[in-house]
């Protein structure tokens, strides 16, 4: 995709909206200084902001809340063709959610290094993910069960499943 002056102007407009949400919602005491906007075909389909402390939900990051709202708005779990504008580089959870939602493009303002400088250090999580589960700081045990394998077999053979 080429990025001409009109694309850059549009990107700036939507990214500024994400930044505005981050400031507004932070000042309202809803959570940390993070905002996100999902856009498809030049229109905002959903907005999100950090609601971790106000909703008591550690997964309620700006990008995740925007993705949840967008999926509800369009009636689909996939957001192909959408662009996610985020006030900050997404954490590993939000980045994974962006991929799971099949979002076509990501544009962000602040970096994870800038977030670390104000106390939001995602580097720990970025470092944990590539490790073998047994080497992570979270004690993790693999306990294979035939019953669990059977559920996977049932899914594999389920004729009416919705693949995602």
């Amino acid at each position: 995709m080429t990025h001409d002056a009109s694309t850059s102007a549009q990107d700036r407009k939507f990214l500024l909206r994400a930044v505005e949400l981050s400031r507004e919602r932070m000042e309202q005491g809803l959570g940390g200084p993070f905002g996100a906007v999902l856009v498809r075909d030049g229109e905002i389909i959903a907005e999100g902001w950090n609601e971790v402390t106000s909703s008591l939900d550690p997964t309620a990051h700006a990008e995740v809340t925007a993705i949840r709202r967008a999926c509800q708005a369009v009636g689909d779990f996939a957001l192909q063709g959408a662009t996610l504008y985020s006030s900050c580089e997404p954490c590993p959870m939000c980045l994974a959610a962006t991929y799971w939602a099949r979002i076509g493009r990501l544009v962000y303002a602040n970096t994870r290094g800038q977030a670390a400088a104000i106390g939001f250090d995602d580097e720990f999580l970025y470092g944990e993910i590539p490790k073998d589960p047994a080497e992570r700081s979270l004690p993790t045990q693999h306990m294979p069960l035939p019953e669990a394998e059977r559920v996977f077999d049932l899914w594999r053979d389920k004729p009416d499943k919705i693949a995602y």
Side-chain angles (χ1 to χ4, degrees):
M1 170 185 240
T2 60
H3 297 283
D4 57 20
S6 64
T7 303
S8 294
Q10 186 173 7
D11 284 345
R12 180 174 171 72
K13 173 181 126 179
F14 292 125
L15 192 54
L16 280 170
R17 177 61 187 150
V19 171
E20 181 180 319
L21 281 168
S22 72
R23 181 188 49 77
E24 288 174 356
R25 300 310 192 256
M26 175 197 67
E27 288 176 348
Q28 293 169 355
L30 296 177
F34 305 100
V37 176
L38 269 155
V39 174
R40 187 157 54 191
D41 300 323
E43 299 292 325
I44 293 175
I45 56 175
E47 297 179 335
W49 48 89
N50 184 285
E51 300 178 35
V52 170
T53 57
S54 59
S55 68
L56 306 179
D57 178 355
T59 69
H61 290 200
E63 298 88 348
V64 170
T65 61
I67 290 167
R68 289 173 181 161
R69 289 178 179 125
C71 289
Q72 290 297 309
V74 302
D76 198 346
F77 57 82
L79 300 169
Q80 285 100 339
T83 298
L84 175 61
Y85 294 91
S86 180
S87 64
C88 187
E89 181 178 359
C91 76
M93 175 185 70
C94 293
L95 184 60
T98 302
Y99 278 99
W100 280 120
R102 313 298 193 265
I103 293 169
R105 190 165 162 253
L106 168 66
V107 179
Y108 63 90
N110 293 327
T111 67
R112 61 182 166 180
Q114 289 172 297
I118 62 164
F120 295 94
D121 193 357
D122 298 339
E123 280 307 312
F124 171 74
L125 293 175
Y126 275 105
E128 286 285 289
I129 290 170
K131 292 179 183 176
D132 183 272
E135 301 303 316
R136 294 181 184 146
S137 65
L138 176 68
T140 304
Q141 178 182 349
H142 177 216
M143 184 181 292
L145 293 174
E147 297 87 349
E149 289 183 39
R150 178 70 181 131
V151 174
F152 272 22
D153 292 341
L154 291 169
W155 172 258
R156 181 194 60 230
D157 300 336
K158 185 174 173 40
D160 62 341
K161 69 181 166 216
I162 298 173
Y164 60 93

